[in-house]
Amino acid sequence: MRKLTLAMKREERSFWFFIAPWFIGFVCFTGGPIIFSLLLSFTEYNVISSPKFAGVSNYTQLFGDRLFYKSLSVTLYYSLLAVPFTILTSLIIAVLLNHRIKGQSLLRTLYYAPSIVSGVAVSFLWSWLLNPQFGVVNSVLYDWFGIEGPGWFTSPGTVVPSMVLMQLTASGSTMVIFLAALQSLPADLFEAASLEGANGFTKFWRITVPLISPVILFNTIISMIASLQIFTESYVITKGGPDWNSYFYVYYLFDTAFKQFRMGYASAQAWILFLLIFALTLVSMWGSKRFVHYEYDSK
């Protein structure tokens, strides 16, 4: 018994020894700053002078700021377009790449590769492709179809949909997760469905979608969180324009923190965004109970 106790203590010491680098890094670079930002959200702090306690004035001022509502509405509009677009395109491409065809591995690599490229580089690429004067897309539309292309990033009505279109080069990770889920499905279910006369669409809708519904939920939540934190595209291409129509919430937070140096106010903005993401995630988890099927589900 004593030897067993000593062995358990040695194992516990080993555990803390190996986890110590991660734990120290989390406290210093993640957990600590999170707590510090919460404290700063109740202060007035401009980096130069010491923080001054301000109570909840940052939050009350934030809810009276028209830019708060403008940036939040623009971000939610982008998210409502981007999340379904990302999920649908990634799932369709994953289904296509799951079939055994010549050059399958190359096609998978080509679609996934852009997702690991820097967001700044991708933004510059799309700003060139969708340039209304000399962009490739508008040139093709006019030369091949005689269509005068839109302003894309320069028009208030198309700037957000144009940024959603950019998700085509950023959804490789989502596609890979779907592809892994599709490859883990049992083949005997599809064989049995074929014997019963089910066509391809029926098998996809009645078998594939229910079986990968947990993965769909996961990708939806991750895509939602990412869309609510969009920043690079607006910062590089539009600077929040035209007419504030791409002034996303994180861009608003960036302006407050690093242009106006109102760190306390920016911290309050960050915590409002965290609460929004947390609430939407909880709603998504609660609403998914009817549609998500797990292997251990008895129903």
Side-chain angles (χ1 to χ4, degrees), residues 107-177:
L107 291 174
R108 291 176 180 176
T109 303
L110 290 175
Y111 187 78
Y112 176 74
S115 65
I116 63 175
V117 178
S118 166
V120 174
V122 171
S123 297
F124 275 117
L125 173 64
W126 278 98
S127 66
W128 173 71
L129 290 173
L130 299 179
N131 188 284
Q133 278 77 42
F134 56 81
V136 174
V137 175
N138 276 11
S139 298
V140 170
L141 288 175
Y142 185 78
D143 295 339
W144 292 11
F145 306 101
I147 300 174
E148 194 72 33
W152 300 109
F153 297 119
T154 60
S155 173
T158 58
V159 61
V160 171
S162 299
M163 291 187 177
V164 172
L165 184 63
M166 292 174 61
Q167 290 300 306
L168 282 172
T169 53
S171 55
S173 299
T174 307
M175 181 274 295
V176 167
I177 295 173

Side-chain angles (χ1 to χ4, degrees), residues 179-222:
L179 187 59
L182 291 172
Q183 292 182 338
S184 66
L185 298 180
D188 55 342
L189 290 179
F190 296 94
E191 293 174 359
S194 298
L195 293 175
E196 293 293 331
N199 57 31
F201 178 78
T202 301
K203 288 188 287 185
F204 174 77
W205 187 250
R206 296 293 184 179
I207 300 176
T208 302
V209 172
L211 288 177
I212 66 169
S213 55
V215 179
I216 295 175
L217 174 64
F218 172 81
N219 279 333
T220 300
I221 291 175
I222 295 300

Side-chain angles (χ1 to χ4, degrees), residues 67 71 231 247-263 265-274:
L67 283 180
S71 62
F231 167 74
Y247 195 70
F248 297 112
Y249 191 89
V250 175
Y251 195 101
Y252 171 46
L253 194 158
F254 173 83
D255 274 349
T256 304
F258 300 106
K259 290 186 179 180
Q260 302 175 30
F261 295 103
R262 300 170 64 191
M263 293 298 176
Y265 195 65
S267 297
Q269 291 175 299
W271 275 92
I272 292 297
L273 179 60
F274 165 76

